[in-house]
């Protein structure tokens, strides 16, 4: 799909989005675009601004600078906008003394297109009691209740902050399968933040990488995979590679050098063994760059600068 | 949203209703007892014509019982603000549940308006009900002592408790929204409420309207009619200025005794000094708010507390809309 095509159907479009707390910059100059129907993985180290970005999109916080367009308008405290988004906070906040059934009732009273039946079905399938105060449920069960409630809102954009953290591996797989199914219709867009790249790799077709409050990568996973390669070869000077390609990460042992590069054409030098990179390698490659934000330009520009130095 | 509010507050509501019922039962029992004692004392004194000098003991309620019930009743308007108001926003912010509530399809303003509305109503009804009981309960005592306008009676009867309850609720909600933590909000609500109550009942209330001052001859003492509110009283000298005796000198109602009257001070009849003082131009005065202003004062005081509550709620709406969740 072309860049133009993305823009036509982008559900999230931000430009220079910045959130500054008194002394801390939580998110800096964030420019991303998420096309409709994608399941986007929002990854990055702790404190990278993932939660801040999701909260800005969910109108729980207001940006200091920059702007966002979500589903055709700015995020705003307005019933019509709020009805379109589903947000699940990391700490899975629910009213501990109320039951799941109470929460279903609350949702029914506060949302125009509420699907309480879907919650009952999902929780019934998981054997989670509807009549017990949610404070007495296990962490994983609470997460399932919260997820079911968020989905029952029938949002067009689902913003999930670390939804997998409280789930065991099986529950994780079931949950991701349910997400994929929910998104299969094509009109639901999902952004979920997670540390578990290996888990989300299977369902996500889009990736946003934040590090040091900045966007390092944003694009379809297919494109990202096609653009990056792992190069392995004997220990040698990498200047020749850096001339054409952008070196994201360089690991050198006594005998060999491993490079993660962003390609800019084919790798000609036969001394390098070229392998496809998986998503985790790409993400870790970018995350381990030790640029504590001296560069202010877009990720691509900074990458070539780093490559040029070597 | 009304249903949601009900779901979240039904336990607190039930608990409060139960506690209020306990207080109501105590007030009913003691009140009925006092009324019965009052009516039988009245019946007895009408027979022998001694009604002018009915002793307090005829109420059969000890002063400590009365004081304890007055204190308990004074606290009622504060409690909803303390235990429902302060945690209303702060509790949600602390547990993060506001992130759930504020991402449903209603605005924060709507969320706040409905909850605040119901809590204000509940607090007003609670305070009103207890005040109605207290008003009834203090009837015999007031008939005997004409205390209705005094602090501790004025404060727990008629409509002012409703104003207090509305103010306490608004203060609790606002403090919770500003401080974002329940415990500090609770402390601020308690301190703010107590401070404003003491300030109004001990000082502001005395000056809601220009008080009336009456000068009288010491030989014909004057007491205002009915349940008046005393602002100050004492003795003025011939020049019309209030007199105050030094710490170690002889005095009469706080005024120094002139040398010409000193010879009466040691006499077997202490009252003999009064005509002498009168002859020296001494007059008594009392500055007071007449009993007829009782309802105007109830209205003014209620109004002050309600207006302050409105300001606090305005701040709360502004803060909640503008600040990050």
């Amino acid at each position: 799909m072309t860049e133009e095509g993305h823009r036509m159907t982008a559900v999230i479009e931000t430009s220079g989005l910045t959130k500054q707390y008194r002394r801390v910059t939580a998110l800096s100059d964030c420019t991303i675009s998420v096309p409709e129907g994608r399941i986007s993985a929002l990854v990055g180290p702790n404190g990278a601004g993932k939660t801040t970005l999701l909260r800005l999109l969910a109108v729980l916080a207001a940006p200091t600078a920059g702007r966002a367009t979500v589903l055709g308008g700015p995020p705003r405290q307005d019933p019509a906008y709020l009805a379109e988004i589903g947000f699940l906070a990391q700490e899975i906040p629910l009213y501990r003394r109320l039951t799941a059934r109470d929460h279903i009732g609350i949702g029914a009273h506060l949302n125009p297109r509420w699907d309480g039946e879907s919650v009952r079905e999902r929780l019934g399938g998981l054997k989670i009691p509807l009549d017990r105060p949610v404070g007495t449920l296990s962490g994983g069960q609470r997460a399932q209740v919260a997820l079911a409630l968020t989905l029952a809102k029938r949002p067009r954009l689902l913003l999930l902050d670390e939804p997998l953290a409280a789930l065991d591996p099986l529950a994780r797989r079931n949950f991701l399968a349910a997400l994929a199914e929910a998104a299969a219709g094509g009109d639901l867009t999902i952004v979920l933040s997670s540390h578990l790249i290996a888990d989300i790799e299977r369902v996500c077709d889009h990736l946003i990488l934040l590090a040091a409050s900045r966007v390092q990568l944003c694009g379809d996973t297919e494109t990202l995979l096609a653009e990056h390669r792992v190069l392995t070869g004997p220990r040698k000077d990498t200047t020749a590679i850096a001339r054409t390609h952008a070196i994201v990460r360089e690991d050198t042992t006594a005998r060999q050098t491993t490079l993660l590069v962003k390609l800019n054409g084919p790798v000609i030098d036969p001394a390098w063994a070229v392998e496809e990179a998986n998503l985790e390698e790409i993400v870790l490659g970018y995350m381990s760059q030790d640029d504590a934000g001296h560069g202010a330009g877009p990720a691509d520009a900074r990458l070539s600068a780093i490559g040029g130095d070597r | 949203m009304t249903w949601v509010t009900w779901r979240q507050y039904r336990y607190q509501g039930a608990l409060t209703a139960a506690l209020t019922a306990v207080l109501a039962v105590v007030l009913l029992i003691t009140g009925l007892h006092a009324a019965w004692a009052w009516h039988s004392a009245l019946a007895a004194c009408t027979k022998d014509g001694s009604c002018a000098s009915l002793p307090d003991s005829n109420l059969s309620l000890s002063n400590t019982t009365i004081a304890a019930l007055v204190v308990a009743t004074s606290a009622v308007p504060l409690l909803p603000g303390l235990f429902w108001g302060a945690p209303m926003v702060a509790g949600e912010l602390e547990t993060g549940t506001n992130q759930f509530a504020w991402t449903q399809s209603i605005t924060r303003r709507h969320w706040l308006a409905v909850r605040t509305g119901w809590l204000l109503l509940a607090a007003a009804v609670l305070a009103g009900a207890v005040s109605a009981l207290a008003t009834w309960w203090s009837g015999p005592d007031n008939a005997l002592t004409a205390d209705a306008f005094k602090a501790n009676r004025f404060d727990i009867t008629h409509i002012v408790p409703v104003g207090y309850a509305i103010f306490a609720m608004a203060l609790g909600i606002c403090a919770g929204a500003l401080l974002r933590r329940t415990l500090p909000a609770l402390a601020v609500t308690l301190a703010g409420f107590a401070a404003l109550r003491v300030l109004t009942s001990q000082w502001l209330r005395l000056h809601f309207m220009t008080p009336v001052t009456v000068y009288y001859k010491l030989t014909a003492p004057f007491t205002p009619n009915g349940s008046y509110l005393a602002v100050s009283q004492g003795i003025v000298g011939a020049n019309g200025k209030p007199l105050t005796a030094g710490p170690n000198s002889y005095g009469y109602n706080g005024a120094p005794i002139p040398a010409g009257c000193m010879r009466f001070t040691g006499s077997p009849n202490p009252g003999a000094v009064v005509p002498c003082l009168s002859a020296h131009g001494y007059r008594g005065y009392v500055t007071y708010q007449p009993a007829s202003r009782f309802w105007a004062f109830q209205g003014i005081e209620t109004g002050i507390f309600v207006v302050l509550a409105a300001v606090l709620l305005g701040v709360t709406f502004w803060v909640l809309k503008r600040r990050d969740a």
Side-chain angles (χ1 to χ4, degrees), chain A residues 19 21 55 59-62 77 79 82-83 87 89 91 93-95 98 102 105-106 109-112 153, chain B residues 1 3-4 7-8 10 12 92 95-108 111 115 321 324-325:
Chain A
K19 179 65 182 179
Y21 292 101
R55 281 167 56 85
V59 231
L60 287 169
Q77 289 179 37
L82 291 167
F87 176 73
E91 57 267 43
L94 292 173
Y95 296 102
L98 300 188
D102 289 333
I106 291 176
H109 280 84
L110 301 184
N111 295 288
K153 233 182 123 187
Chain B
M1 192 57 217
W3 185 90
V4 175
R7 273 285 135 153
Q8 283 192 261
R10 57 192 166 155
Q12 287 102 310
E92 300 254 352
T95 56
T97 42
N98 64 314
Q99 300 178 92
F100 173 80
W102 298 350
T103 50
Q104 307 300 312
S105 312
I106 58 159
T107 59
R108 292 182 206 177
W111 179 88
R115 271 172 174 245
K321 185 171 161 54
D324 291 348

Side-chain angles (χ1 to χ4, degrees), chain B residues 42-104:
Chain B
L42 266 189
C45 75
T46 348
K47 264 184 213 152
D48 56 17
S50 65
C51 288
S53 57
L54 265 185
D56 280 11
S57 59
N58 276 341
L59 275 182
S60 74
L61 286 182
S62 71
N63 283 334
T64 41
T65 312
I66 293 179
L69 285 174
V70 165
V71 168
T73 316
S74 314
V76 166
L78 168 65
L79 300 181
L82 213 50
F83 295 115
W84 303 344
M88 194 191 101
V89 178
E92 300 254 352
L93 291 169
E94 272 174 338
T95 56
T97 42
N98 64 314
Q99 300 178 92
F100 173 80
W102 298 350
T103 50
Q104 307 300 312

Side-chain angles (χ1 to χ4, degrees), chain B:
Chain B
M1 192 57 217
T2 296
W3 185 90
V4 175
T5 310
W6 166 241
R7 273 285 135 153
Q8 283 192 261
Y9 281 93
R10 57 192 166 155
Y11 299 115
Q12 287 102 310
L15 182 67
T16 313
L19 287 174
T20 313
V22 171
L23 179 63
V25 167
V26 173
L27 283 174
L28 273 173
I29 292 171
T30 54
L32 284 172
H33 194 70
W36 169 80
W38 169 241
H39 285 295
S40 43
L42 266 189
C45 75
T46 348
K47 264 184 213 152
D48 56 17
S50 65
C51 288
S53 57
L54 265 185
D56 280 11
S57 59
N58 276 341
L59 275 182
S60 74
L61 286 182
S62 71
N63 283 334
T64 41
T65 312
I66 293 179
L69 285 174
V70 165
V71 168
T73 316
S74 314
V76 166
L78 168 65
L79 300 181
L82 213 50
F83 295 115
W84 303 344
M88 194 191 101
V89 178
E92 300 254 352
L93 291 169
E94 272 174 338
T95 56
T97 42
N98 64 314
Q99 300 178 92
F100 173 80
W102 298 350
T103 50
Q104 307 300 312
S105 312
I106 58 159
T107 59
R108 292 182 206 177
R109 172 206 279 272
H110 183 171
W111 179 88
L112 182 64
V114 176
R115 271 172 174 245
T116 305
W118 282 112
L119 289 191
L120 284 175
L121 183 67
V125 167
L126 175 74
V130 171
S131 169
L133 258 173
T135 305
W136 165 81
W137 175 86
S138 56
D141 189 36
N142 284 336
L144 194 64
T145 58
D147 272 351
F149 212 148
K150 292 193 178 140
N152 291 346
R153 287 297 187 285
F154 183 90
D155 296 2
I156 61 167
T157 57
H158 301 97
I159 61 171
V160 284
V162 175
Y164 299 160
I166 287 172
F167 169 77
M169 181 59 75
L171 180 61
I173 293 171
C174 185
L178 284 173
L179 300 171
R180 304 171 78 95
R181 306 197 68 83
T182 303
L183 219 54
L186 228 101
V188 165
T189 309
L190 180 65
F193 181 82
L196 189 64
R197 282 276 282 103
V198 169
L199 185 72
T200 39
S201 90
Q202 300 302 313
W203 189 70
L204 283 181
R205 188 187 301 151
L206 303 178
H207 307 286
F208 283 170
M209 290 184 187
T210 313
V212 175
T213 302
V214 169
Y215 296 93
Y216 57 90
K217 281 187 183 159
L218 292 177
T219 47
F222 168 82
T223 308
N225 283 330
S227 307
Y228 66 97
L229 178 64
V231 177
S232 62
Q233 47 201 330
I235 308 277
V236 292
N239 60 2
K241 295 259 169 65
L243 296 168
T244 40
N248 295 318
S249 53
Y250 284 108
Y252 175 79
N253 277 2
I257 293 176
C261 297
M262 284 305 268
R263 63 198 160 95
F264 293 106
T265 54
S267 78
N269 174 16
V273 79
V274 172
C276 178
L277 293 175
S278 210
H280 273 81
Y282 278 30
R283 283 178 300 157
Y285 76 93
V286 55
T287 301
Y288 68 103
Q289 303 285 359
S292 59
R293 292 181 180 174
F294 182 85
W295 277 105
F297 274 49
Q298 282 269 333
I300 291 170
E301 185 149 335
T302 308
I304 289 174
F305 278 81
V306 169
V307 166
L308 286 174
V311 171
L312 289 169
L313 290 177
V315 171
T316 310
F317 273 94
W318 189 84
V319 165
L320 228 57
K321 185 171 161 54
R322 302 296 293 273
R323 266 169 76 165
D324 291 348

Side-chain angles (χ1 to χ4, degrees), chain A residues 1-10 35:
Chain A
M1 209 180 234
T2 63
E3 200 59 31
E4 271 307 301
H6 281 183
R7 195 148 288 146
M8 301 273 288
T9 56

